[in-house]
Amino acid sequence: MFTTRPTLQGTFGMVSSTHWLASQSAMAVLEDGGNAYDAAVAAGFVLHVVEPHLNGPGGEVPIILAPAGGDVRVLCGQGPAPAGATIGHYRGLGLELVPGTGPLAAAVPGAFDAWMVLLRDHGTQRLSQVLRFAIGYAEDGHAPVERIGQTVETVRELFETQWTSSADVYLPGGQAPRCGELFRNPALAATWRRLIAEAEAAGGVDREAQIEAARAVWREGFVAEALIRQSGRPTLDTSGSHHTGTLTAADLAGWSATYEAPATYDWNGWTLCKAGAWSQGPAFLQQLALLPSPLSELPAYGSARCVHLLIEGCKLAMADREAWYGDAAGVPLDTLLSEPYNTARRALIGERASYELRPGSPEGRAPVLSGHATDVASGAPGFNALGLPAAGTGEPTVAKDGGTRGDTCHLDIVDRWGNMIAATPSGGWLQSNPVVPELGFPLGTRLQMAWLDEGLPNSLTPGRRPRTTLTPSLALRDGVPVLAFGTPGGDQQDQWQLHFFLALALRGPVRGGLDLQGAIDAPNWHNDSFPGSFYPRGMLPGSVTVEEGMDPAVIAELRALGHDVTVGAPWSEGRLCAVARDPETGILMAAANPRGMQGYAVGR
C-alpha cells in the first residue's frame, strides 16, 4: 500500500519520537556508544524543551523496557497524591472535581526520578552526557513548532494578568514563540547546569553516585525547595478561584520511581505488555480479549463491520476502566482479562451502536461509578449536549470536531544489542501551572484524573497514583520482545494503539519486515462514549470521530448502524511511534506518524 514514508530498516539502532530533535538527539547518543536507555533519557529531556506544551520535568512518564536477555519491566514515573490531597480538603474548598489547572491538581512530580532510575540501572553514560542536548536547546535556542506559539496565545491573557512567571518565559517582550525564530529557556538550562554541578560535587567521579546525588538534589535540594514555594502560591485555576497546593517537602523526599511487572495478555501468538490498572493500559488488553473467537470471525480489517466491533468493544473496556481501574487493592484484573468474563461481555455487542455506559460485574461484584460519571452518562440536568458540565471549559486532548490539540509525547528505541524501550512522557505542560520562576518549568496536573468520591478505585487518596491515561506498549512474539509503540492522545491512546496493532498484526510483511509505517498511516478513529479523564470530564455517547481519508462507504455504513459520526480534519487521528526487531535476523525497524508534521524516525 502507499505510505507517507518507508518503514526504516537497519542493524545499528532505531529511534522514533514525536519530535525530530528528540529522535536525532537519541540517535547521537547511540552513535556515541550509548545504549537505548541512555538515548531514551537524552530524548526525554529534549522533549521537555522542544514540546513544553506537551510535557515537562514536573510531569510524569510510564516506561516499559525489555533489556536484551532480560524480563520486560514497567518503570513507574507516575507520582502519587500528596499527603494533604484528601477528598475532605477539596470538598471543603467547595469543589466537586479536582481543577484542571493549578497547584491543587499537582501530584508528586514523577518524570525526573524515573529517568534517573532508568539511567542508573540500565544506562552507561553520565548525567552530563545525556543532558547536554536538552541544555543546548534550552540555552542556545531551538526553532519552535507552531503548536507552542498557538498554545501560548490561547492562554496569553492568563499569563499576562495572573501567571506572570510563565509570561516571562513564553511571552518575552510580549511575543509568543514563533516558527523560524530561536526560542530559549535560559532558566531551565541553568537548572540543569546547577543540578549537574551539585551532583558531580557530591558524587565524585562515580557515575551512579552522581545520579543518586542528582536525585537527592531534586527531592531535597534547591529543586524541591522551589517546587514547594510554588505549590504554596495562590494560583487561579479552572475553578475560577485562587488555590494553593498540597505538595510538601516530605512528599517529594518520600517518593521514588519503582519497577513492577507488566500486565500482559496473550493473543494470536503475541504477548502484549502494558502498565497495570493504575493506568488505562489494561483497556488495550481488554479490547483484544473482546475480539471474536476464533479470530477468523473478525470482519475484514478496515470494513465498517470491523470498525463497529472495535468501537463497541472499546466502549465496554472503557466502562470497566471507569468502574474498576485505579491504584487500589482488589482491582480484579485477572477476571477482567479472563475468557469467561469476556465471552459474556462480547455477547453484549449488538448490531447497532450502544449509547449506554455498561461496566461489567467481575466476580459478581456490582460496579460503582462516581456521582459525576453517573450524571454525565445519564444526561442529568446541568449537562449540555456534549455531555459536559454546562459551565466551564476543559482541556480535551482531542477536540470534539476531531482536531488534535495534543497533551503528551512518546518515544521508542531499540539498539544493536536488542535493548528496547517505550516511554510516554506527559504532564507539567506550560498551560497547566505557572512556571516555577527559579526553575523554568511548571508543576503538573495529573490529580485531575482522580475522583472526589469516596470508595472508588480511582478516588483521590494520599499516597495513591491517580489513574493515568499514559500507556506505552511493548509486544513479544513467541516470548521474544519484537515491538515497542505508543502515542499521545489522552483517552484516545489505547484506541489508536489497538487499531495500529491490528493493522500491523493482520497484514503481511513489507520488505520482509513488519509494516510499521503502513499501520501508522492507515485511517484512524476514536470514540468518546465514556467519561473523559481530563477536567471537566465529559462524554459524548454514541460518538465516533474519524479522520477525512476513511472510505466514505464505511462512514455511511457506520451511520446506518447508529453511530454518531463526525468527520475530522485530514491526518487528525493518532500520533503513533514504533520500533521493532526481528529476533531471527537482527534487523531493526522504525516508523513515525506524519500527523502534526513533527514526529520522526531515524536509524541505520
Side-chain angles (χ1 to χ4, degrees):
M1 64 172 288
F2 171 79
T3 60
T4 58
R5 309 165 181 172
T7 295
L8 306 184
Q9 293 186 336
T11 56
F12 180 81
M14 291 284 164
V15 181
S16 179
S17 88
T18 49
H19 197 290
W20 62 85
L21 291 179
S23 295
Q24 193 54 55
S25 296
M27 195 66 200
V29 171
L30 296 180
E31 297 284 3
D32 192 37
N35 65 19
Y37 308 116
D38 299 311
V41 177
F45 279 89
V46 169
L47 288 171
H48 295 333
V49 178
V50 301
E51 293 191 322
H53 56 312
L54 305 178
N55 80 134
E60 44 275 326
V61 57
I63 299 168
I64 301 184
L65 60 151
D71 295 330
V72 176
R73 301 293 286 170
V74 172
L75 177 55
C76 175
Q78 174 59 66
T86 65
I87 290 174
H89 175 64
Y90 287 65
R91 290 288 189 181
L93 296 172
L95 299 171
E96 296 184 359
L97 294 173
V98 177
T101 60
L104 270 182
V108 176
F112 179 86
D113 199 63
W115 289 127
M116 292 300 100
V117 170
L118 178 69
L119 183 66
R120 180 197 68 191
D121 295 344
H122 297 281
T124 64
Q125 294 194 340
R126 295 181 178 276
L127 183 62
S128 59
Q129 289 177 284
V130 296
L131 282 183
R132 70 187 191 272
F133 304 95
I135 292 172
Y137 288 125
E139 196 167 63
D140 302 326
H142 63 95
V145 295
E146 292 89 342
R147 287 295 175 90
I148 297 178
Q150 292 169 359
T151 300
V152 171
E153 289 295 348
T154 66
V155 288
R156 172 184 283 274
E157 182 179 355
L158 176 67
F159 280 14
E160 291 180 335
T161 62
Q162 296 283 338
W163 297 7
T164 55
S165 61
S166 297
D168 292 341
V169 174
Y170 290 104
L171 287 167
Q175 179 177 296
R178 293 194 295 191
C179 294
E181 298 181 4
L182 290 177
F183 175 72
R184 298 175 174 86
N185 188 342
L188 179 58
T191 294
W192 298 144
R193 287 197 179 280
R194 179 178 174 184
L195 182 139
I196 290 170
E198 293 189 11
E200 290 178 344
V205 297
D206 183 83
R207 188 187 78 91
E208 292 185 14
Q210 288 181 6
I211 296 170
E212 283 301 295
R215 296 178 69 208
V217 171
W218 176 275
R219 292 187 296 180
E220 301 176 76
F222 79 93
V223 175
E225 293 169 359
L227 293 175
I228 299 309
R229 281 193 296 271
Q230 185 62 45
S231 179
R233 293 182 176 117
T235 301
L236 181 66
D237 59 39
T238 53
S239 72
S241 299
H242 290 75
H243 293 114
T244 57
T246 62
L247 191 66
T248 68
D251 295 319
L252 284 168
W255 181 82
S256 297
T258 54
Y259 294 100
E260 58 189 59
T264 63
Y265 185 75
D266 294 329
W267 179 83
N268 201 35
W270 294 84
T271 299
L272 280 300
C273 302
K274 303 288 283 188
W278 54 268
S279 77
Q280 74 170 347
F284 179 104
L285 308 180
Q286 281 196 255
Q287 289 176 85
L288 281 177
L290 285 163
L291 292 176
S293 181
L295 189 60
S296 59
E297 296 180 5
L298 181 70
Y301 188 80
S303 68
R305 285 287 167 177
C306 182
V307 173
H308 170 75
L309 286 177
L310 293 176
I311 293 168
E312 295 305 298
C314 176
K315 292 174 185 177
L316 295 175
M318 289 302 202
D320 278 346
R321 182 194 76 162
E322 189 54 51
W324 300 109
Y325 289 18
D327 188 20
V331 175
L333 190 55
D334 289 344
T335 301
L336 292 172
L337 294 174
S338 69
E339 180 56 33
Y341 180 79
N342 284 287
T343 296
R345 295 286 277 165
R346 196 180 301 125
L348 297 177
I349 299 176
E351 291 297 314
R352 293 188 59 78
S354 169
Y355 281 57
E356 299 178 76
L357 186 68
R358 299 181 290 177
S361 300
E363 304 167 4
R365 295 160 57 183
V368 180
L369 303 177
S370 74
H372 180 89
T374 301
D375 288 343
V376 170
S378 64
F383 290 82
N384 64 23
L386 293 180
L388 299 173
T393 58
E395 299 172 356
T397 58
V398 177
K400 296 301 179 183
D401 63 0
T404 302
R405 291 172 55 185
D407 75 324
T408 301
C409 307
H410 187 80
L411 64 89
D412 302 301
I413 304 174
V414 60
D415 64 27
R416 62 188 184 274
W417 300 287
N419 298 304
M420 188 175 289
I421 184 170
T424 310
S426 185
W429 312 308
L430 68 86
Q431 65 273 26
S432 66
N433 256 303
V435 166
V436 183
E438 305 94 322
L439 303 178
F441 63 85
L443 287 163
T445 55
R446 194 60 55 174
L447 290 187
Q448 68 181 290
M449 298 184 171
W451 291 114
L452 298 182
D453 299 69
E454 300 281 1
L456 303 176
N458 191 33
S459 296
L460 180 67
T461 308
R464 282 192 194 170
R465 296 164 287 189
R467 188 189 68 217
T468 182
T469 55
L470 307 176
T471 172
S473 301
L474 199 142
L476 294 74
R477 187 73 176 172
D478 300 321
V480 180
V482 297
L483 175 67
F485 59 101
T487 180
D491 294 313
Q492 287 73 44
Q493 289 181 31
D494 280 317
Q495 300 183 60
W496 292 334
Q497 290 186 70
L498 178 73
H499 309 156
F500 158 81
F501 175 72
L502 291 177
L504 188 72
L506 299 176
R507 288 177 176 166
V510 172
R511 295 178 179 168
L514 295 171
D515 185 15
L516 301 181
Q517 195 64 53
I520 288 174
D521 289 350
N524 218 320
W525 68 93
H526 79 272
N527 83 87
D528 296 295
S529 295
F530 48 87
S533 296
F534 294 88
Y535 181 93
R537 313 204 66 173
M539 66 179 284
L540 191 58
S543 71
V544 179
T545 302
V546 305
E547 61 188 345
E548 186 180 314
M550 181 176 279
D551 185 345
V554 171
I555 295 172
E557 189 171 348
L558 289 173
R559 286 173 170 153
L561 293 171
H563 297 282
D564 183 6
V565 180
T566 296
V567 179
W571 298 103
S572 58
E573 291 284 315
R575 286 180 62 204
L576 282 142
C577 302
V579 299
R581 179 179 182 270
D582 185 328
E584 294 184 2
T585 65
I587 291 175
L588 312 178
M589 291 155 271
N593 173 51
R595 300 164 178 88
M597 297 195 299
Q598 61 191 77
Y600 266 87
V602 295
R604 70 173 179 86

